[in-house]
């Protein structure tokens, strides 16, 4: 699903203003990944990166090419778990949050 330019600009503005929205978006991305919704999770994670840190800075932090990171989080991307968890770890650190998995029945 492609987001419209207006929606992306609205999302960026909201993310810039509200740390709770940033944390919720990161949490939603991880929840989707854990639920097996890989494409949705990668898409949300990509939107989060685009709206916050940007792929240039993420590339510097991970020592990976920004284009490689963009491909990993694209609909056709297939990131290794090591890379995906490194990205999530760095985003948590930068956001100042720690996501936890809770088992439910």
């Amino acid at each position: 699903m492609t987001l419209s330019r207006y929606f992306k600009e609205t999302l960026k503005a909201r993310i810039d203003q509200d740390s709770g929205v940033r944390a919720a978006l990161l949490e939603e991305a991880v929840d989707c990944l854990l639920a097996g919704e890989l494409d949705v999770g990668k898409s949300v994670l990509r939107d989060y990166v685009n709206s916050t840190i940007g792929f240039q800075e993420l590339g510097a932090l991970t020592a990976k090419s920004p284009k490689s990171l963009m491909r990993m989080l694209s609909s056709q991307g297939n990131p290794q778990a090591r890379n995906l968890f490194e990205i999530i770890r760095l985003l948590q650190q930068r956001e100042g949050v720690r996501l936890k998995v809770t088992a439910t029945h």
Side-chain angles (χ1 to χ4, degrees):
M1 176 176 87
T2 306
L3 297 178
S4 70
R5 177 179 215 139
Y6 175 76
F7 180 79
K8 286 182 180 183
E9 290 169 357
T10 301
L11 180 63
K12 171 87 172 110
R14 184 74 191 273
I15 285 173
D16 287 345
Q17 297 171 3
D18 190 343
S19 63
V21 171
R22 290 191 303 272
L25 192 59
L26 184 55
E27 181 181 359
E28 179 65 21
V30 172
D31 282 346
C32 289
L33 293 171
L34 291 173
E37 298 174 22
L38 191 57
D39 288 339
V40 175
K42 289 187 307 181
S43 176
V44 174
L45 202 53
R46 185 180 176 112
D47 289 341
Y48 176 88
V49 171
N50 276 323
S51 298
T52 58
I53 189 173
F55 281 99
Q56 288 295 107
E57 188 175 339
L58 185 59
L61 291 173
T62 59
K64 294 185 181 5
S65 156
K67 288 187 179 195
S68 177
L69 292 167
M70 284 185 241
R71 274 191 305 274
M72 281 183 211
L73 299 179
S74 73
S75 60
Q76 301 300 314
N78 188 18
Q80 293 181 355
R82 174 184 312 137
N83 293 328
L84 194 55
F85 287 119
E86 179 184 11
I87 290 167
I88 292 168
R89 180 184 62 80
L90 290 167
L91 295 176
Q92 285 180 98
Q93 282 180 339
R94 189 168 186 284
E95 192 60 48
V97 298
R98 182 168 177 241
L99 302 174
K100 294 168 96 177
V101 175
T102 304
T104 59
H105 298 302

